[in-house]
Amino acid sequence: MTDVKATPERSGGAKDTVTITVDGKQIEAKPGELLIQAAEEGGVYIPRFCWHKRMDPVGACRMCLVDVEGSPPIPGTQSRRPQTACTTVVREGMVVHTQFTSDEANEAQKTILELLLINHPLDCPICDRGGECPLQDQTQDYGPAESRYTQQKRRYVKPVPISPLINLDRERCILCYRCTRFCEELSGDVLISTMQRGPEAFIFPFYKDPETNGHDAAVRGPLSGDINETFDSYFSGNTVQICPVGALTSTGYRFKARPWDMQNTESVCNLCASGCSIYAGVRVQDGNVARINAATNEDTNEEWLCDKGRYGNEYISSSERITQPWLRRDDALVPITWDEAFRELADKLAPVLAGDSDAGMIVGGHLCDEDYYAAQKFARVVLRTNNIDFRTEPGPSADAVVAPGVTYDDVLGSDLVVVVGTDLREELPLLFLRMRIAASKRGLPIALVHPRAVSLSEHAQLHVRALPGAVPQEITQALRGKERPIVLLGSRACSSEAVAAWNATGARIAWLPRRAGVTGALASGAHPDLLPGWRRITDDGDAADIANAWHVPVPAKAGLDVPGMLAAASSDLGVLWLVGADLSDVPGGNEALDKARYVVVQDVQNCSAVDHADLILPAATFVERDGTLTDWEGRRQQVNAAVDPPGSARADYAILAEAARRLGRPIGCRTHVQVKDELDGLLDGRTSIGAATQRAPEPPRNSDGLRLLTYRLLYDDGARLRASEGIRELTPRPFAEINTADAERLHVTDGANVKIASARGSITVSAKVTDKIAEGVVFVPWSQWGVGGHQLVSWDDQNPTLVVEAVS
Amino acid sequence: MTDTRVLSEDFYTRAKQIVARYPVARSALIMLLHDAQDEVGYVDDDVIREVGSVLGLTPADVEGVATFYTMFKRRHPGKFLISLCTNMSCTINGADETAAALRDAVGPEHETTSDGVCSWESVECLATCHWAVAAQVNYLDIPYLTPDRATKLVSDLKAGRDLDEILSELRAAKSLQEAKSG
Amino acid sequence: MAEETLVVLKRREMSEPWSFQTFVDSGGYQAIRKAVTEMTPEEVIKLVQDSGLRGRGGAGMGTGLKWSLIPKDSPKARYVVCNGDEGEPGAFHDRELMETDPHALIEGMLCAAYAIGARHCFIYCRGEFILARDRLAKAIQEAYDNNYLGENIMGTTFSCDMVLHRGAGAYICGEETALLESLEGYRGMPRPRPPFPVTEGLYASPTVVNNVQSLQAAGQVILNGAEWYRRWGTEKSPGTLVCSVSGAVNNPRNVEVPLGTSVADVLELCGGVDDRGLKAFAPGGWSTPMLPPDKLDATMDYEGMVAAGSVLGASSIIAVPNDMCIVRAVWRGSKFYSHESCGKCTPCREGTYWVERILEDIEHGRADERDLERLEAVNNGMSGFKSLCALAEFAAGPVGSSIVHFREEYEEHIRLKACPHQMQAVAS
Ligand SMILES: Cc1cc2nc3c(=O)[nH]c(=O)nc-3n(C[C@H](O)[C@H](O)[C@H](O)COP(=O)(O)O)c2cc1C
Ligand code: SF4
Ligand code: FES
């Protein structure tokens, strides 16, 4: 639907406000603004169902009818034609009477409400939306007590699971088109549409040919709901949240709780670095997180979430949670108390503390800032080592670190955004969504460097199909003369050479971490070569700052990075401590753990590392503790405890602080506020870091046969995600995407199996033959159902040369 | 890939030409659906997918459009689809009786005879009210479809008579009176 | 006794009037030649405005006025779209005009295109009209072949392309904004107005949407002048009008008469009401409020019909015979509206659904007095311009007017718990 756009230019006037009168009240409105919004901002709420301020108005539900002076008359009456406030653009001097002051408007709205209820099932007592349903509320406020109509209402099979995550109950639908407009205008995933027409119209995904499934759909009417394609969109959950009735409901939440049973805690999602504000809804009776909804935050997620953030949190209440410490004794894990755990630690760390042995810490990507800070301080102050790292996947070396500073607003207001080496929809879904909206609604100029046609390709003005690392001339040229150019570097495009080359274009650069904690990890110094506050360990002044703050010297010896620690785990490292780090699909991870001398696993739930653990420490999830999270922009936002941790689990920073105290080398802060304050002091004003060395980057060559491209899809084998059944069902099977010409040469056919081998290993997956990927490149997702690119790469070669063979 | 398509190479060639006529490709959607339906007989799942792929539209999008318009059939009608106008002028002049005759001769609306030859539907005003009771066979106009003429039409179609012949015979009548008196 | 006045139907009796040859032999393509070679676009618009020609699609807006509303300074492309989606119950004049005189439509559109500066024209032809499609397609080809379409038409700097587009079975696509949605490849659901198509129409660009007859008449006006056209009709409704006449008449057909001709005279031109006698008539297609026989002297023009309590609409008279049950007729009509409602807006989607159901109950003797009240309530609810487009008004018209004029027939159904006409039919 391409309806009225509330663009400012429509009104034309140069004045920056127009004055209108609503129910006798003078309201200053913005030129081009819609009456419904202007009135609301001025304190007069006009009821509505279809209108949503982030989408173009459709004027469909007609609930917002008001009386506007000067409208044409209704022939044969004294009245004027009512107008929909949601499609009426304010005009200077406009005089409006709403339901509060006009009998006609009031009557019109009542009529609409009654008509809406005519076919509505009124099954409120069993409806998930009951208690927070605009239709219910309006009926209570204005509506008739009972329906005057006795004839047969529309009937549909109810509910239809239109995806593993979402149910659709068509009887309740009032056809406001919010869901379909969301998909069409905002997410771009047109996977549900209005089907049929008139009173028989309904919202549905692509459904099965009635010829083959025996339904009588040529005659309009209820279909049983056999579908061809599920509503498989990363953003589908938003449609549930904006549905004004209970037509779309979340499978996971269905019948779990009623709105009035729920306590909502505002927090931040920690499943990626987008920094989305959320409400964690906790059912008071059992203290379980019943649902996650988007909270409104104009700076970050507006009011949207991706489905991973919304539905990917079932691990929190899963049976796989670790709820107490465990110790491996004679090859079996036995439950122990915290006290025993700390004594065990003291025992095992004694040689380390004595300086006779070394230790290392690998931290995961989903921790809070305070956890990273506590961990690196623990490493440096207690273990006296710089062996701490979060980079279980490609991440920047100290000379390639770009301190954050670019914001959503900067990106959306740029005159050219270059996105290098990242598939944003898979990595930062909300940044993708907001850029997509800006591109499709306002033509935000975008250029891409990526070998595949990825999520933003259809909106890109320029797309250079090169492997990460390349700095194509077309793009650097396009950046010339731009006033607000921005380059967004994906996590795989952050070599120091690339950073230097992009820096040279004069554009502002942002580095896009995929995981929620990474910016915090960098800022906190959870990196062998970095200290808190973006300080470099090799900089004497920086090191002295920290030593002064801590009253302890910073260890001088260079620290090991993740591959370094994995290699040393069987030799130099007496203890390898994993804090929320899952190494199951990290190259060499399982092998290293297998041979490691002693492994501490500190985590929220069972993961493959547990099989190798000597000591297990139970950690709290992000909804069970307070803290801060720093998103890709560098924006630090508050994470709030919504529930208590299960069993004796504790926040990561608290475990580390307590361990330090027990080990006799306290890290000086125990509560999250203390940790935060200390970190704040060291971060103060420090957001920049020296420019990277200026070297021409070496673009990876495609000429020597096929090269691998691999990265994580949004739905992958992530340990936490595995607990969310719906998402699991939607998780793609492993595949290899290969260019048509390459496929032809290698006799690979679409859908058939191919064997893909690198120097490190080989896998067999099904082939997707397409022109959407550059010639000479084969894309294999990092890790899907146990198989993926992680089996082919090595630490120093993320784009290995491949041998591809058709498998018969 | 090409071998699994249900639409012919010709379709894809024509589709290119049709799309080229419009300033915006999507405008060609209805024309392409007509064209594809003419080839396949109805808009089946594959037609939806393939037409969508020509224009870069999702199947749900295309299905939403296809099911809005009554001429697009999601089920295979008979080889001959009889559309009987039952709107006002035709009702005034006996459309209900003709509908009953078709029900007897063909079966319930939208169902196809077992030989696959015929199906019928009642439709809205065909803009041939002066020919009431108005009808069409495969969208070719028929004037004055009295019950007797409807019955004969069905048996002629089932007997495999030439459609042009049947039509010119039916069109020979110059008024409802004449058609009624045979 | 009134006479037919053939202006837009002037070629109807010629042999093969649809052929290029017949068309040019009878003065075809002289209007566009005159416009392009002798007139500025502004002069063309002014001439059409002076003629007083009003749109024949239903709303009766001045055709020249509409053309003049195309913004002069818009940098966007402009479009001319012909509304050939005729679907109003009882209307069949546009179909005849497209089938018999396709070149006249092309010429009218060319004049409009020249007047507003459009490079592209679209004919939205109703999907079920196969003959019209074929004749239009052939005519367009002939016009291209003879340089009346394409680049540098008639050797001038004026260039214009024309695309024939088909509908696919949706009455609502006759509504101009639904038509544009459909032409853009979407479900044919109306858009809120404003903005009107003249400022944001096809592809959000300035667009003139005109009815077939309006465009053909405009061609005649440009060729013969405003005064010539004003010889017919009334001051406010000048010119001639094609009326479709059907139902209980002896010789149902299209007749072209000056605006202002009485319904009685128009019926007379069609051989008069047949021997079933007249119970009521809809003057502008079923969507216009029906009138009782004592309104037969109402005149077929915009003002005359409003004065009589109806509207001119699609100028299509349906004569309802005495032996027709009014409830049955209105019920049948209500099925049409619920079937053809696009479903976008609440009053129409829910209202048409419920009206149909209540009428069905009344007709089948399943209703009580409260159902008649309910019927009126829903009907009032869906009317009064609460809906997005006029279809809901159209749907409410026959119901409301029939209750006004034939209330006792409704009450009789309720009293008898059956349809009196059916009872009679069974009895005889
Ligand atoms: C439900 C509905 C159906 C309509 N159907 C037609 C139609 O079939 N043909 C037509 O020309 N106008 C139809 N109209 C009127 C058009 O919206 C529009 O006013 C007309 O095409 C403008 O042309 P004109 O100015 O030449 O009359 C319809 C309007 C509505 C609300
Ligand atoms: S009035 Fe009816 S046809 Fe018009 S927009 Fe509303 S639902 Fe659609
Ligand atoms: S809110 Fe205005 S029509 Fe729905």
Side-chain angles (χ1 to χ4, degrees):
Chain A
M1 276 180 268
T2 53
D3 287 340
V4 232
K5 311 238 162 25
T7 44
E9 57 263 38
R10 163 112 18 94
S11 68
K15 236 182 112 219
D16 23 324
T17 61
V18 290
T19 310
I20 61 169
T21 310
V22 180
D23 295 340
K25 198 168 164 182
Q26 294 235 323
I27 293 175
E28 295 292 312
K30 294 185 262 312
E33 198 174 8
L34 292 168
L35 174 56
I36 195 166
Q37 188 158 15
E40 183 173 351
E41 280 157 13
V44 182
Y45 186 88
I46 299 165
R48 77 288 301 257
F49 291 110
C50 67
W51 187 69
H52 189 284
K53 74 170 180 188
R54 295 183 210 278
M55 299 191 279
D56 295 340
V58 278
C61 76
R62 319 301 290 175
M63 189 62 203
C64 63
L65 289 172
V66 293
D67 180 24
V68 179
E69 286 188 14
S71 303
I74 299 179
T77 71
Q78 302 292 308
S79 310
R80 287 180 284 260
R81 295 188 188 189
Q83 306 292 319
T84 41
C86 74
T87 63
T88 302
V89 177
V90 291
R91 264 179 291 106
E92 179 62 41
M94 183 181 259
V95 180
V96 182
H97 307 279
T98 75
Q99 70 276 10
F100 298 114
T101 57
S102 152
D103 289 344
E104 281 93 347
N106 192 29
E107 274 308 307
Q109 291 179 9
K110 274 195 171 151
T111 304
I112 299 300
L113 198 57
E114 181 167 41
L115 286 165
L116 275 175
L117 289 171
I118 269 186
N119 267 309
H120 195 77
L122 299 176
D123 55 352
C124 310
I126 55 153
C127 177
D128 271 351
R129 201 76 194 184
E132 52 181 8
C133 169
L135 183 62
Q136 208 177 33
D137 297 346
Q138 315 263 7
T139 308
Q140 205 140 24
D141 292 352
Y142 309 102
E146 57 165 314
S147 174
R148 286 189 273 182
Y149 306 101
T150 50
Q151 277 77 7
Q152 176 61 57
K153 295 186 184 210
R154 267 195 297 268
R155 286 232 196 113
Y156 289 109
V157 173
K158 60 190 285 175
V160 179
I162 57 170
S163 87
L165 302 170
I166 293 182
N167 279 302
L168 172 61
D169 190 327
R170 285 170 288 178
E171 286 175 6
R172 294 181 188 151
C173 171
I174 58 166
L175 288 166
C176 66
Y177 313 103
R178 280 181 171 201
C179 55
T180 49
R181 280 183 292 153
F182 177 87
C183 295
E184 210 176 301
E185 281 180 43
L186 305 187
S187 73
D189 298 332
V190 188
L191 297 172
I192 48 172
S193 277
T194 319
M195 305 295 178
Q196 309 280 357
R197 79 174 181 221
E200 266 86 41
F202 56 85
I203 304 294
F204 222 57
F206 178 26
Y207 59 83
K208 273 216 169 66
D209 188 344
E211 182 89 354
T212 53
N213 75 3
H215 289 307
D216 202 13
V219 214
R220 291 139 202 290
L223 281 154
S224 85
D226 284 347
I227 58 180
N228 268 323
E229 275 183 16
T230 56
F231 182 24
D232 182 4
S233 160
Y234 283 164
F235 302 98
S236 68
N238 295 301
T239 64
V240 174
Q241 198 172 339
I242 59 175
C243 176
V245 291
L248 288 163
T249 48
S250 303
T251 313
Y253 172 64
R254 216 174 152 74
F255 306 131
K256 251 201 199 161
R258 313 290 292 167
W260 49 85
D261 294 340
M262 224 148 19
Q263 202 171 355
N264 283 318
T265 304
E266 197 170 347
S267 195
V268 184
C269 177
N270 84 334
L271 286 173
C272 87
S274 294
C276 301
S277 291
I278 57 168
Y279 279 115
V282 174
R283 193 166 179 265
V284 180
Q285 286 89 330
D286 53 14
N288 274 331
V289 176
R291 69 172 177 193
I292 303 278
N293 262 347
T296 300
N297 185 342
E298 300 298 338
D299 291 330
T300 56
N301 57 315
E302 296 191 312
E303 59 187 275
W304 315 122
L305 286 184
C306 78
D307 286 2
K308 186 173 175 178
R310 190 184 297 271
Y311 301 123
N313 287 296
E314 288 179 21
Y315 74 92
I316 295 169
S317 35
S318 90
S319 56
E320 296 293 300
R321 283 296 298 273
I322 304 170
T323 56
Q324 70 198 74
W326 297 80
L327 181 65
R328 188 171 303 276
R329 263 193 212 133
D330 310 326
D331 256 6
L333 286 169
V334 291
I336 55 172
T337 64
W338 274 110
D339 197 51
E340 290 167 310
F342 288 126
R343 273 190 271 127
E344 165 75 11
L345 270 175
D347 194 32
K348 282 294 170 312
L349 287 172
V352 178
L353 265 63
D356 297 337
S357 171
D358 219 349
M361 291 185 101
I362 299 178
V363 285
H366 300 97
L367 308 181
C368 291
D369 301 333
E370 294 73 15
D371 304 322
Y372 291 114
Y373 183 78
Q376 63 82 35
K377 192 169 179 188
F378 187 92
R380 291 178 170 128
V381 171
V382 181
L383 307 176
R384 306 254 159 96
T385 176
N386 287 312
N387 294 342
I388 172 137
D389 200 4
F390 70 89
R391 292 168 299 170
T392 53
E393 46 189 59
S397 59
D399 60 353
V401 166
V402 183
V406 174
T407 64
Y408 277 99
D409 280 352
D410 295 336
V411 170
L412 302 176
S414 165
D415 52 358
L416 181 61
V417 189
V418 181
V419 185
V420 186
T422 168
D423 187 349
L424 277 186
R425 183 162 60 181
E426 306 294 340
E427 311 209 339
L428 290 163
L430 246 293
L431 180 57
F432 158 77
L433 183 65
R434 294 205 55 194
M435 284 179 68
R436 189 201 170 273
I437 295 170
S440 70
K441 289 210 173 194
R442 306 186 276 103
L444 173 72
I446 296 174
L448 288 180
V449 184
H450 199 286
R452 295 177 75 205
V454 286
S455 41
L456 282 169
S457 311
E458 57 180 306
H459 301 284
Q461 298 180 338
L462 201 57
H463 181 177
V464 178
R465 295 172 168 231
L467 279 169
V471 183
Q473 268 220 318
E474 295 103 298
I475 307 250
T476 50
Q477 242 147 35
L479 280 166
R480 239 171 252 155
K482 291 286 181 273
E483 286 174 22
R484 299 174 304 281
I486 285 185
V487 173
L488 300 174
L489 292 179
S491 43
R492 283 159 194 281
C494 60
S495 65
S496 55
E497 294 92 334
V499 171
W502 289 111
N503 248 334
T505 66
R508 292 176 68 193
I509 302 187
W511 180 66
L512 300 181
R514 196 180 61 81
R515 295 175 302 164
V518 166
T519 308
L522 281 166
S524 308
H527 185 289
D529 303 319
L530 291 174
L531 292 168
W534 309 100
R535 290 173 173 84
R536 289 162 192 253
I537 212 145
T538 49
D539 183 311
D540 291 344
D542 281 356
D545 280 355
I546 297 300
N548 287 338
W550 288 349
H551 313 295
V552 179
V554 172
K557 193 175 155 207
L560 296 171
D561 60 5
V562 171
M565 285 188 261
L566 294 181
S570 57
S571 51
D572 297 350
L573 301 185
V575 173
L576 180 64
W577 194 324
L578 308 180
V579 183
D582 177 15
L583 302 184
S584 59
D585 54 14
V586 167
N590 283 332
E591 297 89 316
L593 291 178
D594 226 14
K595 296 189 204 131
R597 289 165 58 190
Y598 191 84
V599 179
V600 182
V601 172
Q602 174 176 330
D603 213 323
V604 298
Q605 64 168 12
N606 288 325
C607 56
S608 68
V610 161
D611 301 337
H612 309 278
D614 296 291
L615 176 65
I616 300 174
L617 305 176
T621 66
F622 77 115
V623 290
E624 295 154 358
R625 40 79 56 89
D626 295 334
T628 61
L629 257 180
T630 305
D631 73 0
W632 68 274
E633 309 163 284
R635 185 189 304 278
R636 274 176 91 192
Q637 300 184 101
Q638 188 68 37
V639 168
N640 293 313
V643 288
D644 292 331
S648 61
R650 299 183 190 185
D652 288 299
Y653 70 84
I655 297 173
L656 294 162
E658 180 62 10
R661 195 180 67 85
R662 297 284 198 110
L663 292 166
R665 292 184 185 169
I667 57 172
C669 40
R670 295 178 68 184
T671 67
H672 114 269
V673 177
Q674 287 168 338
V675 189
K676 182 173 174 296
D677 285 350
E678 191 172 313
L679 173 59
D680 284 350
L682 294 170
L683 280 175
D684 189 31
R686 297 189 59 105
T687 50
S688 76
I689 190 152
T693 41
Q694 196 132 353
R695 257 185 291 154
E698 180 109 353
R701 276 184 307 271
N702 293 353
S703 53
D704 50 352
L706 295 168
R707 297 290 294 264
L708 175 73
L709 172 75
T710 179
Y711 52 87
R712 285 186 193 275
L713 301 184
L714 190 66
Y715 297 166
D716 67 350
D717 281 346
R720 291 153 212 243
L721 223 43
R722 263 177 265 160
S724 295
E725 256 175 65
I727 289 190
R728 200 63 187 149
E729 241 178 275
L730 293 169
T731 302
R733 300 273 149 189
F735 62 89
E737 197 176 274
I738 180 164
N739 179 276
T740 317
D742 293 329
E744 213 153 279
R745 199 163 35 76
L746 297 162
H747 310 293
V748 169
T749 51
D750 191 52
N753 278 350
V754 274
K755 185 171 159 213
I756 300 182
S758 72
R760 192 179 153 241
S762 96
I763 58 174
T764 300
V765 293
S766 106
K768 276 192 189 171
V769 176
T770 170
D771 289 330
K772 291 184 175 163
I773 187 160
E775 255 186 88
V777 181
V778 175
F779 171 67
V780 178
W782 184 260
S783 181
Q784 304 297 126
W785 301 89
V787 177
H790 74 277
Q791 292 160 294
L792 303 171
V793 300
S794 61
W795 277 98
D796 38 11
D797 193 358
Q798 290 288 315
N799 304 104
T801 306
L802 300 176
V803 177
V804 176
E805 275 172 66
V807 178
S808 44
Chain B
M1 263 190 91
T2 23
D3 39 331
T4 59
R5 285 171 168 178
V6 298
L7 293 168
S8 67
E9 278 311 311
D10 279 358
F11 168 84
Y12 284 93
T13 313
R14 282 194 308 270
K16 272 210 190 84
Q17 295 162 355
I18 294 172
V19 171
R21 288 181 207 151
Y22 294 91
V24 175
R26 183 171 177 137
S27 277
L29 178 53
I30 291 175
M31 297 298 269
L32 296 186
L33 283 168
H34 271 307
D35 208 316
Q37 174 162 279
D38 288 348
E39 244 189 53
V40 179
Y42 73 116
V43 177
D44 71 359
D45 291 353
D46 293 317
V47 166
I48 286 184
R49 286 193 189 96
E50 290 182 35
V51 168
S53 75
V54 170
L55 297 173
L57 304 175
T58 61
D61 203 353
V62 175
E63 189 170 45
V65 173
T67 59
F68 185 86
Y69 299 97
T70 51
M71 284 177 79
F72 297 132
K73 307 297 182 198
R74 282 292 269 134
R75 277 203 334 182
H76 209 314
K79 182 168 169 224
F80 298 102
L81 171 65
I82 303 172
S83 309
L84 176 73
C85 172
T86 55
N87 208 301
M88 208 48 64
S89 303
C90 292
T91 293
I92 287 171
N93 288 304
D96 287 351
E97 289 74 28
T98 306
L102 285 173
R103 215 168 282 125
D104 286 346
V106 181
E109 235 185 301
H110 302 295
E111 307 253 311
T112 304
T113 48
S114 52
D115 54 6
V117 173
C118 259
S119 52
W120 79 280
E121 60 179 355
S122 85
V123 296
E124 301 303 357
C125 182
L126 286 168
T128 39
C129 314
H130 56 312
W131 283 347
V133 173
Q136 297 184 321
V137 176
N138 292 353
Y139 301 103
L140 302 170
D141 298 310
I142 305 174
Y144 316 119
L145 195 65
T146 61
D148 289 348
R149 281 156 63 94
T151 311
K152 178 153 190 308
L153 167 66
V154 174
S155 61
D156 282 353
L157 291 172
K158 294 183 107 178
R161 275 192 69 196
D162 179 58
L163 182 59
D164 284 342
E165 236 175 69
I166 301 177
L167 286 175
S168 61
E169 228 172 74
L170 286 165
R171 286 171 185 168
K174 289 295 164 234
S175 72
L176 180 60
Q177 238 34 58
E178 198 183 312
K180 273 188 179 155
S181 51
Chain C
M1 163 82 202
E3 263 181 61
E4 276 208 79
T5 312
L6 300 182
V7 173
V8 293
L9 279 177
K10 71 175 185 181
R11 291 190 182 81
R12 105 191 288 189
E13 301 303 336
M14 296 178 186
S15 95
E16 307 216 336
W18 51 85
S19 73
F20 179 74
Q21 208 51 53
T22 307
F23 184 69
V24 291
D25 288 350
S26 54
Y29 289 121
Q30 292 310 313
I32 184 63
R33 184 176 299 275
K34 178 179 166 199
V36 175
T37 57
E38 297 170 22
M39 300 168 79
T40 63
E42 291 72 29
E43 283 166 352
V44 173
I45 294 177
K46 170 126 197 324
L47 174 57
V48 176
Q49 262 180 300
D50 289 347
S51 76
L53 170 63
R54 293 170 67 174
R56 304 290 188 240
M61 176 174 191
T63 302
L65 172 65
K66 189 182 274 186
W67 295 4
S68 75
L69 293 176
I70 293 289
K72 301 276 174 297
D73 49 359
S74 169
K76 292 180 178 171
R78 297 114 200 262
Y79 299 102
V80 171
V81 176
C82 169
N83 187 341
D85 194 46
E86 183 168 55
E88 174 59 28
F92 46 94
H93 37 61
D94 295 348
R95 187 199 240 245
E96 178 171 353
L97 289 170
M98 289 189 285
E99 285 175 357
T100 56
D101 210 351
H103 281 286
L105 177 57
I106 296 172
E107 183 171 26
M109 293 179 74
L110 281 169
C111 292
Y114 177 70
I116 68 157
R119 178 70 171 72
H120 287 278
C121 298
F122 296 88
I123 302 177
Y124 190 104
C125 178
R126 186 171 161 192
E128 291 90 338
F129 295 176
I130 300 294
L131 185 59
R133 173 196 68 181
D134 291 346
R135 295 231 171 113
L136 282 165
K138 182 154 178 290
I140 290 173
Q141 192 51 52
E142 288 168 336
Y144 270 109
D145 293 345
N146 290 281
N147 194 216
Y148 288 108
L149 279 173
E151 301 294 325
N152 302 107
I153 288 170
M154 298 174 297
T156 67
T157 55
F158 174 57
S159 303
C160 190
D161 285 304
M162 192 168 289
V163 176
L164 176 60
H165 187 89
R166 291 177 71 198
Y171 167 68
I172 190 58
C173 290
E175 196 283 336
E176 57 185 10
T177 60
L179 181 149
L180 295 174
E181 283 285 300
S182 181
L183 186 47
E184 289 185 14
Y186 292 92
R187 299 164 55 83
M189 306 205 287
R191 305 171 180 171
R193 302 180 303 170
F196 292 92
V198 285
T199 53
E200 281 183 40
L202 189 62
Y203 314 125
S205 300
T207 304
V208 155
V209 182
N210 271 141
N211 165 266
V212 176
Q213 197 184 145
S214 317
L215 287 161
Q216 292 195 352
Q220 299 279 331
V221 165
I222 290 164
L223 185 62
N224 299 302
E227 282 318 303
W228 170 81
Y229 195 64
R230 282 187 172 277
R231 296 201 320 221
W232 301 288
T234 69
E235 172 60 28
K236 287 187 171 164
S237 302
T240 61
L241 176 75
V242 183
C243 302
S244 299
V245 184
S246 67
V249 289
N250 285 311
N251 185 13
R253 65 193 188 103
N254 285 318
V255 289
E256 185 170 5
V257 294
L259 280 127
T261 305
S262 74
V263 174
D265 283 353
V266 174
L267 287 175
E268 210 41 54
L269 285 170
C270 298
V273 173
D274 68 22
D275 50 19
R276 290 175 283 182
L278 187 71
K279 184 184 237 175
F281 67 93
W286 192 252
S287 299
T288 57
M290 66 178 73
L291 295 171
D294 62 11
K295 297 281 187 188
L296 276 172
D297 53 355
T299 55
M300 293 296 281
D301 57 276
Y302 301 94
E303 294 70 31
M305 270 306 147
V306 171
S310 188
V311 281
L312 187 61
S315 60
S316 301
I317 301 171
I318 301 175
V320 182
N322 274 319
D323 63 2
M324 182 82 204
C325 168
I326 276 294
V327 177
R328 193 169 186 80
V330 174
W331 171 45
R332 171 52 221 167
S334 75
K335 275 180 145 164
F336 167 74
Y337 297 108
S338 78
H339 185 240
E340 298 300 335
S341 162
C342 83
K344 181 173 178 179
C345 77
T346 307
C348 176
R349 181 184 64 243
E350 306 302 334
T352 55
Y353 175 93
W354 228 257
V355 163
E356 185 193 338
R357 257 150 206 77
I358 301 174
L359 280 166
E360 183 181 329
D361 282 356
I362 297 179
E363 169 63 9
H364 292 96
R366 298 193 291 259
D368 58 27
E369 303 77 44
R370 287 194 58 199
D371 285 301
L372 188 53
E373 277 167 41
R374 287 183 189 126
L375 178 63
E376 286 190 276
V378 194
N379 205 57
N380 292 338
M382 66 191 284
S383 58
F385 299 90
K386 297 188 205 65
S387 53
L388 184 55
C389 84
L391 191 138
E393 283 339 289
F394 292 179
V399 180
S401 57
S402 66
I403 297 178
V404 169
H405 299 299
F406 302 98
R407 189 170 196 106
E408 59 303 347
E409 248 190 88
Y410 281 91
E411 287 166 353
E412 202 181 349
H413 278 78
I414 290 168
R415 207 171 41 247
L416 294 173
K417 292 251 169 257
C419 171
H421 293 76
Q422 296 293 105
M423 289 170 80
Q424 223 165 25
V426 173
S428 60

